Amino acid sequence: MKTKKYKRKKKIIRKIVAGVAVVAFFGWFISLRINNEQSVGYDMVLAYEKHDLSTYVNASGTVVLSDSQTVSAEVTQKIKKLNFKVGDTVNEGDVLCEFDSEMLDEQIARYEKLINDAKTLEQLQDNNGANSQQYAKQLADISVESAKIALDAAQNEYDTAYSKYSEYYQIYYNSTDAAESDLYYNMYKQYEASLEPLSLQLQMAQNEYNSVLEQKTETLDQISESNYLKKFQSSEIEKYQETLDELKRQREHIVVTAPRSGVVTDCYVNEGSFTNEGELFKIGTLGDYKVEAVITDRDILNVKVGDEVYFTTVLTGDMEISGYIESISEYFNGFGYSATVKITDSDAMKLLKPNINTAVRVYTNKADELYSVAYDAIEQDENGNSYVLRAVENNGQFTAQKVEVQTGIESDFYVEIVSSDLKEGDLVVCGDKEHKAGDRIRLRGAD
């Protein structure tokens, strides 16, 4: 009897354990299903409406005068005096700067004497005096003077290049502006690279001068005067005269005057510095501006004349000033390709100042307010036709409906729809979930 009660009790316990296990299993299964549905989450949809599909490239630029005129040097001498600085108003004919003429005057005097001596020598030769001691001495003196002038010219050219190298290096070394630092780095490197060939040229001129001096002594002592006749050519006088004419031309431009009235917007030289027939000043009229932008080599193929432009400046804050690309340079300037922006906002132009930096946006495709869908909403069927899935409501639930579409231009996020049965406000399925027509679409707040 005791045994029967024990067996019955054991059987009841087994049923209870089995029942608990079944309940636990169903609880786990239901929980798994709920979690699974929660992991699927809601589908992403976006309303079918108009978007901005414009594409653009960014560039940097500077506000400059539209009608500015560059004043360049025709003299390769040192700047003696500057009479104006950036921001000064000048009148046509005002003396902008003056070059040091001392070296030019000395060179002119030396070449005039050289030509006179050569002509005297030529007359002596014509009078059959080529074998005289006088002829020999004069020819030797002319050779020495010619070599000395060439040596001095080589020395001056080297000194000028070294002076510019030192000047630009100091500006680069002390600059805190990245753009200015890059500019002067390239400039001082350019002159640094020229120092070695100029040094070799100077050494050759020095060797030639030493050789002529030595030859003069030897010739007077050892070589007959008749040998000099073979060395001197009348064409030498023409070469001397050409050089003299060039020196006199430079002497006429030792004083630089303003070619027009306006404001000095740029000054590229300092007192005491040299210029190698480069730019000196830029003069223009305030109030009429354009933007000189730099397009990178990565973006230049996407930019064309006529492209719409908007830019901002530190001076005008967040105001976007409109314009368009007026011209594009064909040449790479070391930083990119120069592009001129014509400003079309005349009211905003009144707020600008020259040499202000700009942040430029060049629209390579201006297409705003176009009906479009998200890029990842477009699907392709087996026939290669494009379609989207529209979320359609039926009794409080949404299902996917296939709608064929024809697409147009694309941006980074949207694709234009040029033909379809979509209506403004339709919910278009997008996101990374895969659906097909007839699938249930889960929208937040719709269940």
Side-chain angles (χ1 to χ4, degrees), residues 387-444:
Y387 70 91
V388 299
L389 293 176
R390 174 169 51 191
V392 179
E393 183 182 8
N394 185 15
N395 296 325
Q397 291 190 347
F398 288 84
T399 56
Q401 181 186 66
K402 180 179 177 180
V403 180
E404 290 192 359
V405 297
Q406 292 183 10
T407 60
I409 62 175
E410 299 179 0
S411 68
D412 292 338
F413 188 74
Y414 293 105
V415 179
E416 179 190 12
I417 301 299
V418 297
S419 177
S420 74
D421 291 331
L422 291 174
K423 302 294 187 297
E424 185 172 9
D426 281 351
L427 300 179
V428 177
V429 181
C430 52
D432 57 359
K433 294 182 183 178
E434 293 186 1
H435 284 294
K436 61 181 182 298
D439 284 356
R440 180 185 176 190
I441 303 299
R442 293 173 58 83
L443 302 184
R444 188 180 296 276

Side-chain angles (χ1 to χ4, degrees), residues 120-121 123-140 219-220 223-229:
T120 300
L121 187 65
Q123 291 174 358
L124 189 61
Q125 177 177 311
D126 292 341
N127 295 330
N128 296 320
N131 291 327
S132 67
Q133 184 67 28
Q134 178 187 0
Y135 180 87
K137 185 178 183 305
Q138 282 188 242
L139 182 55
T219 300
L220 292 176
I223 302 178
S224 65
E225 293 84 347
S226 61
N227 287 334
Y228 274 99
L229 185 59

Side-chain angles (χ1 to χ4, degrees), residues 186-221:
N186 290 330
M187 293 173 70
Y188 101 74
K189 278 295 185 181
Q190 176 184 349
Y191 281 102
E192 183 181 52
S194 71
L195 291 179
E196 183 175 353
L198 288 176
S199 178
L200 292 175
Q201 178 180 309
L202 176 60
Q203 186 60 51
M204 291 173 61
Q206 182 67 60
N207 293 341
E208 177 65 19
Y209 176 69
N210 294 339
S211 175
V212 170
L213 282 178
E214 183 179 352
Q215 189 178 35
K216 175 183 176 181
T217 302
E218 293 178 354
T219 300
L220 292 176
D221 294 340

Side-chain angles (χ1 to χ4, degrees), residues 3 31 91 191 225 251 259 369 383:
T3 303
S31 174
N91 296 314
Y191 281 102
E225 293 84 347
R251 186 64 178 83
E369 296 301 307
N383 297 319

Side-chain angles (χ1 to χ4, degrees), residues 157-167 191 194-195 198:
E157 192 172 2
Y158 178 84
D159 291 344
T160 299
Y162 187 82
S163 173
K164 288 185 176 181
Y165 157 74
S166 300
E167 177 186 350
Y191 281 102
S194 71
L195 291 179
L198 288 176

